[in-house]
Amino acid sequence: MDFDDYVRARGAALVRLGRLLTGDRHRGEDLAQEVLARAFVRWNRISAVNPEAYVRRMLVNAAITRWRRLSSRESVVVDIGDSASRMDLESEVVERDVLWRHVRQLPAKQRAAIVLRYYEDLDDVSIAGLLGCSTVTVRTQVKRALATLRGKVGADVALYTNGGTR
C-alpha cells in the first residue's frame, strides 16, 4: 500500500485519535498532520512493517511529547458558557462533556491508555506495544485513570443535572 492510499483509508481515524489524545479538534488535526508528514519521509520502512501500528505509535508518542512540552506553559480553563443553554442539554450530552473535560486533565499516558482501550478498542498487548510499556503498566494506568474519573465525574454530573453551574 502506498502512502496516499493509506492516508485515504486511515486518515480520518488518525485525526480522530489525535483529537481524542489532545482533547481538542484543531490540535488533533495538527498532530495527525505532523505525524503523517514525518511518516511520509519514512514510508518505505514503515510500510514494510505494520503501518497501522507504527503510525498509531508515532501519534501517541507525539501527543505525549506535546503534552509534556506544553504542560508547564498552558493552563486549562473551564469553558463556563451560557448557563441557560446548559440546562437545555440532554443529560447524556452533559455527562459526555463532563467526562471528556476530566479525561483531558489526566496525565498523558493515562489519557492515552483510556483512549486506546475504550475508544480504539485495543487490548492490553496492543496498547502496551504502542505505549512502550508492559501490559501490567497498561492495566495500572487504566485503573488509576478510571479511579480518578469516577471520583470527579459523579459529583460534576450531579451538579450539572441538578441545574447548577460550574
Side-chain angles (χ1 to χ4, degrees):
M1 173 184 295
D2 70 346
F3 184 76
D4 292 336
D5 293 337
Y6 177 78
V7 172
R8 271 192 282 285
R10 298 296 302 152
L14 293 172
V15 169
R16 185 178 60 237
L17 177 59
R19 180 175 45 98
L20 291 170
L21 290 171
T22 61
D24 180 74
R25 188 181 114 206
H26 299 293
R27 286 185 185 152
E29 290 171 355
D30 290 345
L31 184 69
Q33 183 176 4
E34 175 187 316
V35 166
L36 286 172
R38 285 191 282 140
F40 176 74
V41 175
R42 302 183 208 132
W43 189 249
N44 289 337
R45 284 183 279 160
I46 293 172
S47 64
V49 201
N50 180 357
E52 181 65 23
Y54 197 97
V55 174
R56 268 189 183 164
R57 174 73 185 251
M58 288 176 69
L59 204 61
V60 169
N61 287 344
I64 290 170
T65 300
R66 185 178 279 190
W67 181 82
R68 284 180 183 152
R69 186 177 40 222
L70 297 177
S71 66
S72 62
R73 290 186 281 161
E74 291 185 10
S75 60
V76 177
V77 178
V78 176
D79 180 17
I80 297 191
D82 184 2
S83 61
S85 66
R86 275 207 200 279
M87 288 188 269
D88 297 338
L89 295 174
E90 300 275 344
S91 64
E92 181 180 330
V93 173
V94 171
E95 289 174 9
R96 189 175 328 140
D97 182 49
V98 169
L99 174 67
W100 281 107
R101 285 179 191 217
H102 290 296
V103 168
R104 285 193 306 252
Q105 293 173 0
L106 290 172
K109 286 200 175 188
Q110 287 181 17
R111 183 174 56 243
I114 289 288
V115 167
L116 292 170
R117 164 75 57 79
Y118 295 105
Y119 194 80
E120 292 292 316
D121 198 29
L122 297 179
D123 59 3
D124 290 343
V125 174
S126 301
I127 296 170
L130 288 170
L131 295 178
C133 61
S134 70
T135 56
V136 173
T137 303
V138 169
R139 287 191 293 270
T140 301
Q141 295 288 347
V142 169
K143 180 181 175 186
R144 288 178 181 164
L146 288 175
T148 301
L149 292 173
R150 283 185 188 115
K152 291 181 177 181
V153 172
D156 283 353
V157 168
L159 179 66
Y160 285 122
T161 57
N162 290 333
T165 58
R166 195 153 220 251

